């Protein structure tokens, strides 16, 4: 297993390296203090997951995240001292898989890494028929009449959770727990942004704009069943 750490604080890098090395003695660790180099390493090193700081000296962590998401769905754990609600909303809505605030507990970091790795490699399971769509959770994709939509790991969790709860609606809180195992500050806003993005993808790629419906003030459910 290989990870990439993009963090400008050497003491934090040392702590993360120590924590991961204890949990996974054979892990390969690539590190950089610069966002631009981090983007290049994310592409050339093909890590299994990335730990990314938002406060980098050469560019913002959000910009780094967006660049990485343009070519990779690798799990990204955002590690930062920032606790502002909008930082959480923006990072999660731009594709971060976990959000951990400094100072962090070592066991919390290990648990978060295990969670994102598990979510990024779903086990073989049921294939869902949704009207004229076929949904493959283990492959993170939805097919329809020769068209294909690839889902990010987080999008796949959202869609699978909705599929498993049909025809009932799911609450924001239950979605947050399904995605992150916790309710972050601002995570309900992040969920709304991510669901809207998923709706746009379903519309543009599969001509399905009304597949995910809103239970106003409560959550979401799947239509067309």
């Amino acid at each position: 297993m290989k990870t990439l750490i993009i963090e400008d604080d050497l003491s934090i890098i040392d702590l993360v390296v120590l924590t991961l090395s204890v949990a996974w003695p054979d892990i390969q660790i690539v590190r950089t203090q610069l966002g631009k180099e981090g983007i290049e390493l994310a592409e050339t090193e093909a890590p299994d997951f990335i730990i990314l700081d938002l406060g980098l000296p050469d560019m913002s962590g959000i910009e780094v995240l967006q660049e990485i998401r343009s070519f990779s769905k690798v799990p990204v754990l955002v590690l930062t001292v920032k606790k502002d609600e909008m930082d959480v909303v923006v990072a999660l809505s731009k594709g971060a898989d976990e959000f951990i605030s400094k100072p962090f507990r070592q066991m919390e970091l290990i648990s978060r890494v295990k969670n994102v790795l598990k979510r990024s490699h779903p086990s073989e399971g049921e294939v869902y028929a949704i009207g004229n769509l076929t949904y493959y959770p283990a492959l993170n994709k939805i097919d329809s009449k020769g068209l294909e939509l690839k889902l990010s790991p987080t999008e796949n969790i959202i869609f699978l959770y909705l599929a498993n709860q049909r025809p009932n609606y799911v609450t924001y809180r239950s979605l947050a727990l399904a995605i992150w195992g916790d309710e972050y500050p601002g995570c309900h806003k992040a969920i709304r942004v991510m669901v809207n993005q998923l709706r746009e993808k379903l519309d543009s790629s599969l001509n399905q704009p009304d597949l995910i419906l809103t239970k106003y003030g409560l959550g979401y459910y799947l239509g067309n069943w």
Side-chain angles (χ1 to χ4, degrees):
M1 184 165 65
K2 181 189 292 185
T3 187
L4 168 63
I5 303 171
I6 308 173
E7 163 67 64
D8 64 326
D9 188 328
L10 289 176
S11 65
I12 296 295
I13 292 177
D14 289 343
L15 180 58
V16 172
V17 168
L18 174 62
T19 302
L20 298 180
S21 298
V22 170
W24 294 278
D26 297 327
I27 193 170
Q28 300 177 53
I29 299 176
V30 182
R31 68 198 80 177
T32 179
Q33 294 175 272
L34 299 176
K36 184 176 180 180
E37 185 178 19
I39 295 168
E40 296 172 354
L41 290 171
E43 189 164 17
T44 59
E45 294 291 334
D48 294 287
F49 66 95
I50 294 173
I51 295 178
L52 170 65
D53 180 36
L54 290 186
L56 299 169
D58 60 331
M59 59 191 299
S60 78
I62 297 297
E63 291 176 314
V64 175
L65 177 61
Q66 289 179 291
E67 288 291 329
I68 291 173
R69 280 290 172 257
S70 70
F71 61 82
S72 174
K73 297 184 185 301
V74 60
V76 177
L77 291 84
V78 171
L79 181 64
T80 177
V81 295
K82 297 181 179 179
K83 296 182 179 179
D84 184 77
E85 179 178 297
M86 285 310 300
D87 288 325
V88 179
V89 172
V90 173
L92 296 177
S93 66
K94 294 299 182 181
D97 297 279
E98 289 283 358
F99 190 99
I100 307 176
S101 295
K102 309 173 193 174
F104 60 88
R105 299 188 302 274
Q106 291 172 289
M107 290 307 300
E108 178 187 10
L109 177 60
I110 292 171
S111 176
R112 298 295 190 187
V113 171
K114 288 180 177 179
N115 285 342
V116 296
L117 291 176
K118 181 179 179 180
R119 295 201 305 259
S120 65
H121 298 91
S123 59
E124 293 293 334
E126 185 178 357
V127 175
Y128 296 76
I130 312 170
N132 60 2
L133 307 181
T134 306
Y135 169 44
Y136 303 88
L139 300 177
N140 288 34
K141 74 171 185 174
I142 305 172
D143 291 342
S144 176
K145 299 180 179 179
L147 302 174
E148 179 180 289
L149 171 61
K150 293 294 289 184
L151 303 173
S152 72
T154 301
E155 289 170 343
N156 195 49
I157 292 169
I158 292 171
F159 201 83
L160 179 59
Y161 193 68
L162 288 167
N164 284 332
Q165 299 300 318
R166 67 189 193 280
N168 302 315
Y169 72 89
V170 300
T171 64
Y172 293 107
R173 182 177 186 278
S174 65
L175 266 176
L177 294 176
I179 298 167
W180 303 296
D182 198 358
E183 282 191 281
Y184 296 104
C187 67
H188 292 195
K189 292 182 181 179
I191 287 171
R192 285 194 286 271
V193 171
M194 289 187 289
V195 168
N196 286 336
Q197 291 173 340
L198 181 52
R199 282 171 167 160
E200 291 174 2
K201 292 173 69 173
L202 288 164
D203 184 15
S204 61
S205 298
L206 302 178
N207 301 313
Q208 293 285 337
D210 302 317
L211 186 57
I212 301 177
L213 303 177
T214 300
K215 188 78 169 178
Y216 288 99
L218 298 173
Y220 303 97
Y221 63 100
L222 287 186
N224 296 336
W225 289 88

